[in-house]
Amino acid sequence: MRATHEVHIGSAEGTKGVAQQPIPSPVPTNGASPHQLQHSSHPGVQLHEHPTKAAAFVANDARLHWHDQAVWFLRGKRDRVSSAFPEWEQLRTLGSHIKAHTLSRLAEYLEQFERNALALGARVHWALNAEEHNRIVHSILADHGVTRVVKSKSMLTEECHLNPYLESQGIEVVDTDLGERIVQLRREPPSHIVMPAIHLKKEDIGELFHEKLGAPPGLSDPKALTELARQHLREKFLAAEAGITGVNFAIAETGGFVVCTNEGNADLSTALPPLHIACMGIEKVVPRAKDLGVFLRVLARSATGQPITSYTSHFHGPRPGGELHIVIVDNGRSRILQREEYRRSLHCIRCGACMNTCPVYRRSGGHSYGVTVPGPIGSVLAPHLDPAAHASLPFASTLCGSCSDVCPVKVDLHHQLLMWRGELGRERLVPIEKRLGSAIGGWILARTWAYRFFGKVMRWLLPRLPRALVYNRWNAWGRQRELPEAPAQSFREMYRRRRGN
Ligand code: SF4
């Protein structure tokens, strides 16, 4: 790890349950690559995970089209508000520059944030990984004798699997974002980072509420369902002894942080119980309060096409008589930070726009990715944690580049997906038929004579081959598509003939 990007674990007084050593460099000293080390812990590699789960989703044609339309609707809203905003491209550039600058001095800004947060009366904890994060949160709750917790939406706590961990310790955790509560009641993960229950119809939710919350059978009116959820959650808010939130932006110069919601549930989760725990990834820090003017303007517009989220709550220290703990988590992020070609993925502000535009996400659903953050950004991030287990994800893309085009902080998503493909291929984590096909294709495309020769052969051969030789189980592409009719001449031949030479 390069010194300029080394993130040091805080050593400030007042921290509790804190790991007091620098994040160890993931670069191993025994000559093996970090990936090789991780492979050894995964003998049962699941290379076909995404295609298998996507096939199950695609099998329900009606659901596929409905999901596609629902997500595309959000992309349309995003387009309308961003195109009506003259400085949109400037904001994207500025946001990207601020993130790049912050990441180049991440340790400095995190330590500045910690100093200022401590000065405001918060307690700061540092967690190297998900297990440590969960242990820290649990120890804070246990110290206060807490058994009932309300939680507002936080992808980090999903990533760390905090809920099952706390439940295994006898603590009730209730997600208070409506979509999150719905998927929690169904005992399934969110399928989208902004709209966790986008894969469900109102009838599914009516059925769920009938079973879990005593709603009348057949109820599917969204207003009535929301009212029922509101009553159910109000009881949970009033009974909670602690509130957990995520962090959208942590401000180094003030030690404060911002949480964005559309339902006000983060505010209730922190205003009612006396104990507030805020969990943030190390990449959430921004240098100055005025940087929020850039990120808040692009976040909601990119996510749902709103000018701003309904509630943008600022926290500066604990509320009077209360206690505030901030848990800062690495969980593989410093490993991404040290890889320059992938570093830009840490710019991500989790708006979900790349999912809404991705033709593969829209048609395969979030659960087919098998990770907390699905879609293009999830397919870039997940292999860093475990390349063997998530080797299929960088291939869940058409590489059309639409994800990079809509990203409000200019993450070069399709380039990173392409880089992962090459890397996974070199690590032999890609199925043999795909590697063989790419190697043959690469060899032919690199030689003009071979390209012309095999083009001619295939134009003659294709119409004569028995169908079973072209469309078979090795040709995944051909399972749902037909090749166009082979032309009699190549483009080059046609061009020459028309030019008369
Ligand atoms: S990568 Fe960009 S578009 Fe995708 S969720 Fe992150 S910020 Fe949004």
Short mmCIF file of all heavy atoms in Angstrom, two decimals, residues 18-47:
data_model
loop_
_atom_site.label_atom_id
_atom_site.label_comp_id
_atom_site.label_asym_id
_atom_site.label_seq_id
_atom_site.Cartn_x
_atom_site.Cartn_y
_atom_site.Cartn_z
N VAL A 18 -12.02 0.16 20.09
CA VAL A 18 -11.35 0.60 18.87
C VAL A 18 -10.15 -0.27 18.56
O VAL A 18 -9.36 -0.59 19.43
CB VAL A 18 -10.87 2.06 19.06
CG1 VAL A 18 -10.13 2.54 17.84
CG2 VAL A 18 -12.04 2.96 19.37
N ALA A 19 -10.00 -0.63 17.27
CA ALA A 19 -8.78 -1.31 16.85
C ALA A 19 -7.69 -0.26 16.74
O ALA A 19 -7.85 0.73 16.05
CB ALA A 19 -8.99 -1.97 15.50
N GLN A 20 -6.60 -0.40 17.43
CA GLN A 20 -5.61 0.66 17.53
C GLN A 20 -4.39 0.43 16.65
O GLN A 20 -3.29 0.79 17.02
CB GLN A 20 -5.17 0.80 19.00
CG GLN A 20 -6.29 1.18 19.92
CD GLN A 20 -6.63 2.66 19.90
OE1 GLN A 20 -5.92 3.43 19.27
NE2 GLN A 20 -7.69 3.05 20.55
N GLN A 21 -4.53 -0.18 15.52
CA GLN A 21 -3.37 -0.35 14.65
C GLN A 21 -3.74 0.04 13.24
O GLN A 21 -4.91 0.10 12.90
CB GLN A 21 -2.89 -1.81 14.68
CG GLN A 21 -3.75 -2.77 13.92
CD GLN A 21 -4.93 -3.26 14.72
OE1 GLN A 21 -5.39 -2.61 15.63
NE2 GLN A 21 -5.45 -4.39 14.35
N PRO A 22 -2.71 0.37 12.40
CA PRO A 22 -3.04 0.74 11.03
C PRO A 22 -3.70 -0.43 10.31
O PRO A 22 -3.44 -1.58 10.64
CB PRO A 22 -1.69 1.07 10.39
CG PRO A 22 -0.66 0.84 11.42
CD PRO A 22 -1.29 0.28 12.63
N ILE A 23 -4.55 -0.08 9.32
CA ILE A 23 -5.14 -1.14 8.50
C ILE A 23 -3.99 -1.84 7.80
O ILE A 23 -3.18 -1.21 7.15
CB ILE A 23 -6.09 -0.54 7.47
CG1 ILE A 23 -7.31 0.02 8.19
CG2 ILE A 23 -6.51 -1.56 6.44
CD1 ILE A 23 -8.23 0.80 7.31
N PRO A 24 -3.85 -3.15 7.96
CA PRO A 24 -2.71 -3.81 7.35
C PRO A 24 -2.82 -3.78 5.84
O PRO A 24 -3.90 -3.83 5.29
CB PRO A 24 -2.81 -5.25 7.86
CG PRO A 24 -4.23 -5.41 8.28
CD PRO A 24 -4.76 -4.06 8.64
N SER A 25 -1.67 -3.66 5.19
CA SER A 25 -1.68 -3.68 3.74
C SER A 25 -2.17 -5.04 3.26
O SER A 25 -1.74 -6.07 3.77
CB SER A 25 -0.27 -3.43 3.21
OG SER A 25 -0.25 -3.76 1.85
N PRO A 26 -3.09 -5.07 2.31
CA PRO A 26 -3.56 -6.35 1.81
C PRO A 26 -2.55 -7.01 0.89
O PRO A 26 -2.74 -8.15 0.48
CB PRO A 26 -4.83 -6.00 1.05
CG PRO A 26 -4.65 -4.59 0.66
CD PRO A 26 -3.77 -3.96 1.69
N VAL A 27 -1.50 -6.30 0.52
CA VAL A 27 -0.51 -6.91 -0.36
C VAL A 27 0.26 -7.94 0.43
O VAL A 27 0.94 -7.61 1.40
CB VAL A 27 0.45 -5.86 -0.94
CG1 VAL A 27 1.48 -6.52 -1.84
CG2 VAL A 27 -0.32 -4.81 -1.71
N PRO A 28 0.14 -9.21 0.08
CA PRO A 28 0.79 -10.23 0.88
C PRO A 28 2.30 -10.23 0.68
O PRO A 28 2.79 -9.75 -0.33
CB PRO A 28 0.18 -11.53 0.38
CG PRO A 28 -0.28 -11.21 -0.99
CD PRO A 28 -0.56 -9.77 -1.07
N THR A 29 3.01 -10.77 1.64
CA THR A 29 4.46 -10.74 1.58
C THR A 29 5.04 -12.06 1.07
O THR A 29 6.22 -12.18 0.87
CB THR A 29 5.04 -10.47 2.97
OG1 THR A 29 4.45 -11.40 3.86
CG2 THR A 29 4.73 -9.06 3.42
N ASN A 30 4.18 -13.03 0.83
CA ASN A 30 4.73 -14.32 0.42
C ASN A 30 4.70 -14.53 -1.09
O ASN A 30 4.85 -15.63 -1.58
CB ASN A 30 3.96 -15.46 1.10
CG ASN A 30 2.50 -15.43 0.69
OD1 ASN A 30 2.10 -14.55 -0.06
ND2 ASN A 30 1.73 -16.36 1.20
N GLY A 31 4.47 -13.44 -1.83
CA GLY A 31 4.53 -13.53 -3.28
C GLY A 31 3.20 -13.86 -3.93
O GLY A 31 3.07 -13.76 -5.13
N ALA A 32 2.20 -14.27 -3.15
CA ALA A 32 0.91 -14.58 -3.75
C ALA A 32 0.10 -13.31 -3.89
O ALA A 32 0.28 -12.36 -3.15
CB ALA A 32 0.15 -15.56 -2.85
N SER A 33 -0.79 -13.26 -4.89
CA SER A 33 -1.63 -12.08 -5.04
C SER A 33 -2.74 -12.14 -4.01
O SER A 33 -3.08 -13.20 -3.51
CB SER A 33 -2.25 -12.05 -6.45
OG SER A 33 -3.32 -12.94 -6.50
N PRO A 34 -3.32 -10.96 -3.66
CA PRO A 34 -4.42 -10.98 -2.70
C PRO A 34 -5.53 -11.91 -3.19
O PRO A 34 -6.19 -12.58 -2.43
CB PRO A 34 -4.90 -9.53 -2.66
CG PRO A 34 -3.85 -8.71 -3.32
CD PRO A 34 -3.03 -9.63 -4.15
N HIS A 35 -5.73 -11.95 -4.51
CA HIS A 35 -6.79 -12.81 -5.04
C HIS A 35 -6.50 -14.28 -4.79
O HIS A 35 -7.36 -15.04 -4.40
CB HIS A 35 -6.95 -12.57 -6.54
CG HIS A 35 -7.46 -11.19 -6.82
ND1 HIS A 35 -7.63 -10.71 -8.08
CD2 HIS A 35 -7.82 -10.21 -5.98
CE1 HIS A 35 -8.09 -9.48 -8.02
NE2 HIS A 35 -8.20 -9.15 -6.76
N GLN A 36 -5.23 -14.63 -5.03
CA GLN A 36 -4.89 -16.04 -4.84
C GLN A 36 -5.14 -16.45 -3.39
O GLN A 36 -5.61 -17.54 -3.13
CB GLN A 36 -3.43 -16.27 -5.22
CG GLN A 36 -3.22 -16.28 -6.72
CD GLN A 36 -1.77 -16.14 -7.10
OE1 GLN A 36 -0.99 -15.53 -6.38
NE2 GLN A 36 -1.41 -16.70 -8.22
N LEU A 37 -4.82 -15.52 -2.49
CA LEU A 37 -5.04 -15.85 -1.07
C LEU A 37 -6.52 -16.08 -0.81
O LEU A 37 -6.91 -16.96 -0.08
CB LEU A 37 -4.55 -14.70 -0.18
CG LEU A 37 -3.04 -14.52 -0.14
CD1 LEU A 37 -2.68 -13.41 0.82
CD2 LEU A 37 -2.35 -15.81 0.30
N GLN A 38 -7.35 -15.24 -1.47
CA GLN A 38 -8.77 -15.38 -1.21
C GLN A 38 -9.36 -16.62 -1.87
O GLN A 38 -10.28 -17.21 -1.35
CB GLN A 38 -9.50 -14.15 -1.70
CG GLN A 38 -9.16 -12.95 -0.85
CD GLN A 38 -10.01 -11.76 -1.20
OE1 GLN A 38 -11.21 -11.92 -1.40
NE2 GLN A 38 -9.44 -10.60 -1.24
N HIS A 39 -8.78 -17.01 -2.99
CA HIS A 39 -9.33 -18.19 -3.67
C HIS A 39 -9.26 -19.42 -2.77
O HIS A 39 -10.16 -20.23 -2.75
CB HIS A 39 -8.53 -18.52 -4.94
CG HIS A 39 -8.61 -17.43 -5.95
ND1 HIS A 39 -7.83 -17.39 -7.05
CD2 HIS A 39 -9.40 -16.35 -5.99
CE1 HIS A 39 -8.13 -16.33 -7.75
NE2 HIS A 39 -9.07 -15.68 -7.13
N SER A 40 -8.13 -19.50 -2.07
CA SER A 40 -7.93 -20.71 -1.29
C SER A 40 -9.03 -20.92 -0.27
O SER A 40 -9.32 -22.03 0.12
CB SER A 40 -6.57 -20.65 -0.60
OG SER A 40 -6.54 -19.50 0.22
N SER A 41 -9.68 -19.82 0.14
CA SER A 41 -10.75 -19.98 1.12
C SER A 41 -12.09 -20.28 0.47
O SER A 41 -13.11 -20.34 1.11
CB SER A 41 -10.85 -18.73 2.00
OG SER A 41 -11.22 -17.64 1.19
N HIS A 42 -12.06 -20.40 -0.86
CA HIS A 42 -13.33 -20.66 -1.55
C HIS A 42 -13.21 -21.84 -2.49
O HIS A 42 -13.19 -21.69 -3.71
CB HIS A 42 -13.78 -19.42 -2.33
CG HIS A 42 -14.37 -18.40 -1.43
ND1 HIS A 42 -15.69 -18.40 -1.08
CD2 HIS A 42 -13.78 -17.39 -0.77
CE1 HIS A 42 -15.91 -17.41 -0.25
NE2 HIS A 42 -14.78 -16.79 -0.04
N PRO A 43 -13.14 -23.01 -1.95
CA PRO A 43 -13.02 -24.16 -2.84
C PRO A 43 -14.26 -24.33 -3.71
O PRO A 43 -14.17 -24.76 -4.84
CB PRO A 43 -12.82 -25.34 -1.89
CG PRO A 43 -13.27 -24.86 -0.54
CD PRO A 43 -13.20 -23.37 -0.54
N GLY A 44 -15.42 -23.98 -3.19
CA GLY A 44 -16.65 -24.15 -3.97
C GLY A 44 -16.99 -22.90 -4.74
O GLY A 44 -17.91 -22.19 -4.42
N VAL A 45 -16.21 -22.58 -5.75
CA VAL A 45 -16.41 -21.35 -6.52
C VAL A 45 -17.71 -21.44 -7.32
O VAL A 45 -17.99 -22.43 -7.96
CB VAL A 45 -15.22 -21.14 -7.48
CG1 VAL A 45 -15.45 -19.96 -8.39
CG2 VAL A 45 -13.95 -20.95 -6.68
N GLN A 46 -18.52 -20.34 -7.28
CA GLN A 46 -19.79 -20.35 -8.01
C GLN A 46 -19.69 -19.41 -9.18
O GLN A 46 -20.08 -18.25 -9.12
CB GLN A 46 -20.91 -19.89 -7.08
CG GLN A 46 -21.14 -20.84 -5.94
CD GLN A 46 -22.20 -20.31 -5.00
OE1 GLN A 46 -22.81 -19.28 -5.22
NE2 GLN A 46 -22.41 -21.03 -3.92
N LEU A 47 -19.15 -19.92 -10.28
CA LEU A 47 -18.90 -19.05 -11.41
C LEU A 47 -20.17 -18.66 -12.16
O LEU A 47 -20.20 -17.67 -12.83
CB LEU A 47 -17.92 -19.74 -12.37
CG LEU A 47 -16.50 -19.86 -11.87
CD1 LEU A 47 -15.68 -20.69 -12.82
CD2 LEU A 47 -15.86 -18.50 -11.67
#
